[in-house]
Amino acid sequence: MKKKNFYIALFCLSLFSLSVSAQNRTYDGPNKMNTWSITGYGGITKFFGDIKEYDFKLGEKEKLTGAWGISINKQLSPIFGIQLTGFNGSLAGSKMGVTGVDPRFPDVINTYDVYFKSPSFVQATIDGTVNLNRLLFGHNKLRHWKIDAHAGAGIMYFHTDLYDMRTDALLLKTNTAGSSKTAGTWERNGSTYTREWVVPAGLAIHYELSPRFDIGIDFTYNHVMTEKLDLTVGDMTNYASQHGIWGFVKGDSKQDRWGSAMIALTYKLGKNAVKSKNGKYDAGSGRYHLRWADPKSLIPVPYNPTMNDADSIAKANMPKAVDPRLYTDSDGDSVADLFDKEPNTPPGSVVSGGGVAMDLDKIIRDAIKNNLPKDECESLFSNIEFDTDKAIIRDASKETLSKVVELLNMRTNCRIVLVGHTDARASDSYNVALSRRRVDAAKRFLIRAGLAEPSRILVEYFGEYRPIAENTTVEGLQSNRRVEIKILPQNTLRSTYPAGFRP
């Protein structure tokens, strides 16, 4: 494989790996975020190759060159992104005092002073970006600064003219009859442009001005896969030999490079754009952009007080010590021990609001026997449990759900709330989805079992956020894999989601 093709393959493979890694780390939480943006660029350019006198100042016959461009950016995660970038600009360079011998006159020593112009090149690349300050310092430092390293691969079309510095005579130009042996050409503005591969790498520093605009600077170093951008292949002592540069044979010089320093202005696309204030996020105020926000900060941390927390709150707000049974539920029936009239009910029991185990069969028989009004509802609480990573109703749970259907069909002014939960052995987003599948399975069973008016079913799901036991034991994990059943009057129903949570 040629060295040129090896470089191209290496950079394409790096770009692909970066894109795959970024996709694997893309956040897919419950809060929507804006991810697209457009950036405009404008600044100066500098050529680095054979025909240059200085690295960081202008040589003889050189004028300041520049470029402008635009990029379409997709943020895949707070750290990784990808962008499609296009540039239109110019390059120039000059070289003085190169001496050599013309083969036609071997006794005469000549001095060659030359300069070149590439008045309008076009370049398009695909780049992967890495947010270095997020990667190295996290999300709490430099919140409104974004330092991106970027690299990629693309294509460049150029047209170059080479002149004698003393007489301004045209010595060489690209795209002559011999240039048909190059990689490819393109017609633009009456000129034929030569095509070559280019590999850019650079650093961009951005500051978040507002919810819509960012401003910054971008430094990029472009490695062009040719030594002929300045129409020189190394032998500057005899330009008669340069007329064969359009073949595939490599010359004596290194491949050409050019750099740029540009001002960048970014417009962030998306709906209801907002920005964080002092590191504070409110998912209900609008959509944050993934360029700047940590998605996990949009999800409120559920408050699970420890006994020490509960004791501190009691001492600060009550004259008397709070009974610790208010914060415990020994039998896991969703009724605190302080109010639980039967604190040792068997697992899976259907209980009343006072924690008393109830016989659904007896309630239904009494309702038929005594012809109770249909607008009276019992406050029933029960849990049905699931196997690991499953959303399949067990046979024992099917019997409980069938009895619930009988009761609800007798009392038409009652509604049922199904609340899904999981243990903690997966990602947050996966557990939320699993708890939703579990309540959906219970809902489907109730409907298929003959529940009148399926609209009376309300479902909620919280993933791993509301455990009733420790996730460190087999028994605790099993208790947390559950769907809670609550039968309540219609006027007592309300959402139990934490603030800002939307399943």
Side-chain angles (χ1 to χ4, degrees), residues 333 345-351 357-358 381-383:
D333 60 359
T345 53
S349 297
V350 178
V351 299
M358 304 185 70
F381 299 83
S382 180
N383 294 341

Short mmCIF file of all heavy atoms in Angstrom, two decimals, residues 333 345-351 357-358 381-383:
data_model
loop_
_atom_site.label_atom_id
_atom_site.label_comp_id
_atom_site.label_asym_id
_atom_site.label_seq_id
_atom_site.Cartn_x
_atom_site.Cartn_y
_atom_site.Cartn_z
N ASP A 333 -45.63 -3.55 52.66
CA ASP A 333 -46.98 -3.44 52.08
C ASP A 333 -47.33 -2.01 51.71
O ASP A 333 -48.49 -1.69 51.47
CB ASP A 333 -48.02 -4.02 53.04
CG ASP A 333 -48.04 -3.27 54.39
OD1 ASP A 333 -47.22 -2.34 54.55
OD2 ASP A 333 -48.85 -3.64 55.26
N THR A 345 -47.93 -8.59 57.78
CA THR A 345 -48.70 -9.25 56.74
C THR A 345 -47.76 -9.99 55.79
O THR A 345 -46.65 -9.54 55.52
CB THR A 345 -49.53 -8.24 55.94
OG1 THR A 345 -48.65 -7.21 55.48
CG2 THR A 345 -50.62 -7.62 56.79
N PRO A 346 -48.19 -11.16 55.28
CA PRO A 346 -47.33 -11.93 54.37
C PRO A 346 -47.00 -11.14 53.10
O PRO A 346 -47.77 -10.27 52.68
CB PRO A 346 -48.18 -13.17 54.05
CG PRO A 346 -49.18 -13.24 55.16
CD PRO A 346 -49.46 -11.84 55.57
N PRO A 347 -45.85 -11.41 52.48
CA PRO A 347 -45.50 -10.73 51.22
C PRO A 347 -46.57 -10.92 50.17
O PRO A 347 -47.13 -12.00 50.01
CB PRO A 347 -44.18 -11.40 50.82
CG PRO A 347 -43.63 -11.97 52.09
CD PRO A 347 -44.80 -12.37 52.91
N GLY A 348 -46.87 -9.84 49.42
CA GLY A 348 -47.85 -9.90 48.35
C GLY A 348 -49.28 -9.76 48.79
O GLY A 348 -50.20 -9.88 47.98
N SER A 349 -49.51 -9.49 50.07
CA SER A 349 -50.89 -9.37 50.56
C SER A 349 -51.53 -8.11 50.03
O SER A 349 -50.88 -7.08 49.83
CB SER A 349 -50.91 -9.35 52.09
OG SER A 349 -50.41 -10.57 52.63
N VAL A 350 -52.85 -8.17 49.80
CA VAL A 350 -53.64 -6.99 49.46
C VAL A 350 -54.11 -6.38 50.77
O VAL A 350 -54.76 -7.05 51.58
CB VAL A 350 -54.83 -7.35 48.57
CG1 VAL A 350 -55.66 -6.12 48.27
CG2 VAL A 350 -54.34 -8.00 47.30
N VAL A 351 -53.76 -5.11 51.03
CA VAL A 351 -54.05 -4.49 52.32
C VAL A 351 -54.87 -3.23 52.12
O VAL A 351 -54.89 -2.63 51.03
CB VAL A 351 -52.75 -4.16 53.07
CG1 VAL A 351 -51.94 -5.40 53.35
CG2 VAL A 351 -51.93 -3.14 52.30
N ALA A 357 -54.62 -6.88 56.11
CA ALA A 357 -54.80 -7.79 54.97
C ALA A 357 -56.28 -7.95 54.67
O ALA A 357 -57.11 -8.10 55.57
CB ALA A 357 -54.18 -9.15 55.30
N MET A 358 -56.63 -7.87 53.41
CA MET A 358 -58.03 -7.92 53.00
C MET A 358 -58.28 -9.12 52.11
O MET A 358 -57.42 -9.53 51.32
CB MET A 358 -58.41 -6.62 52.27
CG MET A 358 -58.16 -5.35 53.09
SD MET A 358 -58.74 -3.88 52.25
CE MET A 358 -60.50 -4.14 52.36
N PHE A 381 -53.92 -1.85 48.64
CA PHE A 381 -52.53 -1.78 48.24
C PHE A 381 -51.97 -3.19 48.12
O PHE A 381 -52.19 -4.02 49.01
CB PHE A 381 -51.69 -1.00 49.26
CG PHE A 381 -52.13 0.43 49.43
CD1 PHE A 381 -53.19 0.73 50.28
CD2 PHE A 381 -51.52 1.43 48.72
CE1 PHE A 381 -53.60 2.04 50.44
CE2 PHE A 381 -51.94 2.74 48.88
CZ PHE A 381 -52.99 3.04 49.74
N SER A 382 -51.27 -3.45 47.04
CA SER A 382 -50.67 -4.78 46.85
C SER A 382 -49.52 -4.66 45.87
O SER A 382 -49.46 -3.73 45.06
CB SER A 382 -51.71 -5.77 46.32
OG SER A 382 -51.13 -7.04 46.13
N ASN A 383 -48.58 -5.59 45.96
CA ASN A 383 -47.45 -5.64 45.03
C ASN A 383 -47.47 -6.97 44.29
O ASN A 383 -47.77 -8.01 44.87
CB ASN A 383 -46.12 -5.52 45.76
CG ASN A 383 -45.94 -4.17 46.42
OD1 ASN A 383 -46.61 -3.21 46.07
ND2 ASN A 383 -45.04 -4.10 47.39
#
